[in-house]
Structures are given as structure tokens and as C-alpha cells.
Amino acid sequence: MTRVALRSWLADPWARLGARDMLATCLGIAAWGLVTGVAMVKTGMPVGLAIFMSLLVYAGSAQLAVLPLLAADAPLWVVWLTAACVNLRFVIFSSMWRSYFAHLPRRHRLWLGYFSGDVIFVAFMKRFARPEPAPEQVPYFWGAAAANWLAWQVPSIIGILAANAIPLSWGLGFAGVLALLGILLSMLADRASWLATAVASTAAIATFALPLKLNILVAIAAAVAAGLGMEAAERSLARARRAPAAGDGA
């Protein structure tokens, strides 16, 4: 039964479309996953625990953010707070995906939450701009999620297993930064996201001297505040423009 369902899913054109939409970013995600896998072992994490973390957490930005804190023996509350702040965007993603997937069983929605990702969210919203359920949305999501998961997990586990054979002189950290930049730039679609990115970059550099990588928290808080402020300002401006028009009509 499972084999038949899998074959039917692979034959679904929307699932194949979701996978194809991920191909443009798979190379960057693979480089990011490889860097993260190597970084976990290089910071002293055992191979088995690193593989477990890669499969269970499945959140590259959170993993990279907390690894230096774990290596520095930071307090547990700092580690948890950093991971929570880095992943706050998924609360926003979930609230927007609710319009599409709220009718699904809870177990299905939990799996959707595990497999969701930034690039999947962007691709999904481009394909389905109208916030209402449609039968093709679930196969599209799973096609994109499968491609994204494999592009991350396979290189990440390779990096974990081969970490001791990969010298730091290869500059994989720089390759990971380039991969992140490529993914980030593909997601900047409006003025609010551009402003939040600029504010986060400035705040991270300005507070780089803070201990325990707390500049990451400062950058996240500043970016969220800037993004929310920009969106509020745009809404107020739109209302102000509509008000004179309504007055003229009267």
C-alpha cells in the first residue's frame, strides 16, 4: 500500500513541480548543509549526536547559531533563547500557512511543520498567492519539501562523517556564507525585507564584540522591529492615501 501511494505521489505533476522549483536553490542548500555538518563535528560534537541533531532539528540557521554557544559552554538559557529567536520566522510562516492547511489532520500538520523551510515558503507563496485551500497545494508542498530535505540532509551527514578528513584550510565557512547570501537574496521581495536585512547586518556588525554571540540576538530583534515598523508605516500610508480619495467621492 505504501509503495502504491509513493508511486502515485511521484507521478503527481504538482509534486514534480514543487521539486523542480527547489532545484535552483538546492546547490546553495547543499553547501550550507555540508558546512553545518562539518561545523558540528569540529566543535567537538560526537558523530552520532551530530547526525541525530541534523535529522531532529533540521534548522541550519539555528544549528549554526547555537554551535559556537555550545562550544563556549554558554548557559543553557542562552542557547535556547538564541535558537528560539532565530526560528521566530516560522511562527509567521505557520500563521500564513494556516489559510492553506488548517483543514488537514493535526498529525499531517505537524509533519508539514517539520519539513517547512524558508525557500519552500517563498516558492509556495509565489505559486499560491490566494490564501485558500486547493487540492494541488499539498502535493506541491511535499514535492518541494522532499527536494529541500534531501538537499540538506545528504550533504550534512556527509560533512559529519567526513569532517575529520576536511581541513579548515578549504574555507568551507566562506562557501557556506556565499550559499546563505544566495538564498537570502532570492527571498528579498519587498522594501520591508530589504530594510530588515540592512538593519540586521548593521546591528550584527555594531555589536560584534558582545560575548556569547549575543550580537545575533541583537540583530534579530532589530530586524524584527524594523520589518514590523516598515509594514506598519506602509499600512498607515496606504490608509492615508485612501482617505482623501473617499472624501473626494463624497
Side-chain angles (χ1 to χ4, degrees), residues 48 82 108 126 168 171 215:
T82 300
H108 196 165
K126 286 181 180 178
L168 296 176
N215 62 315

Side-chain angles (χ1 to χ4, degrees), residues 163-177:
N164 294 324
I166 299 177
L168 296 176
S169 59
W170 284 13
L172 287 179
F174 182 67
V177 171

Side-chain angles (χ1 to χ4, degrees), residues 10-26:
L10 291 174
D12 192 301
W14 284 98
R16 295 200 302 269
L17 178 61
R20 284 200 301 269
D21 283 349
M22 291 296 102
L23 292 180
T25 59
C26 277

Side-chain angles (χ1 to χ4, degrees), residues 192 195-196 199 221-231:
L195 176 64
V199 170
V224 171
L228 293 177
M230 183 69 174
E231 290 181 355

Side-chain angles (χ1 to χ4, degrees), residues 81-171:
L81 181 61
T82 300
C85 289
V86 170
N87 285 331
L88 275 177
R89 66 194 186 281
F90 286 103
V91 177
I92 301 174
F93 294 169
S94 298
S95 67
M96 298 184 71
W97 260 323
R98 182 178 177 82
S99 302
Y100 302 91
F101 300 136
H103 64 286
L104 298 174
R106 178 178 297 177
R107 180 180 298 179
H108 196 165
R109 284 182 278 129
L110 289 173
W111 281 113
L112 290 172
Y114 168 78
F115 282 98
S116 64
D118 306 83
V119 182
I120 299 173
F121 176 81
V122 173
F124 186 94
M125 290 302 170
K126 286 181 180 178
R127 289 288 180 184
F128 306 103
R130 182 175 295 180
E132 58 186 24
E136 63 270 18
Q137 292 167 354
V138 172
Y140 177 89
F141 177 94
W142 283 116
N148 194 73
W149 190 87
L150 290 172
W152 171 266
Q153 294 293 356
V154 173
S156 178
I157 293 175
I158 290 174
I160 292 169
L161 297 175
N164 294 324
I166 299 177
L168 296 176
S169 59
W170 284 13

Side-chain angles (χ1 to χ4, degrees), residues 174-196:
F174 182 67
V177 171
L178 292 180
L180 287 175
L181 284 176
I183 295 172
L184 171 65
L185 292 175
S186 68
M187 299 173 62
L188 300 180
D190 51 40
R191 286 180 293 182
S193 58
W194 277 102
L195 176 64

Side-chain angles (χ1 to χ4, degrees), residues 25-116:
T25 59
C26 277
L27 184 60
I29 292 171
W32 187 11
L34 180 66
V35 169
T36 305
V38 173
M40 284 192 284
V41 176
K42 292 291 188 183
T43 54
M45 187 176 294
V47 170
L49 183 59
I51 293 176
F52 178 76
M53 182 180 185
S54 180
L55 294 172
L56 179 67
V57 178
Y58 184 40
S61 54
Q63 288 173 239
L64 288 175
V66 303
L67 283 176
L69 301 177
L70 294 174
D73 199 22
L76 190 58
W77 69 266
V78 174
V79 176
W80 281 104
L81 181 61
T82 300
C85 289
V86 170
N87 285 331
L88 275 177
R89 66 194 186 281
F90 286 103
V91 177
I92 301 174
F93 294 169
S94 298
S95 67
M96 298 184 71
W97 260 323
R98 182 178 177 82
S99 302
Y100 302 91
F101 300 136
H103 64 286
L104 298 174
R106 178 178 297 177
R107 180 180 298 179
H108 196 165
R109 284 182 278 129
L110 289 173
W111 281 113
L112 290 172
Y114 168 78
F115 282 98
S116 64

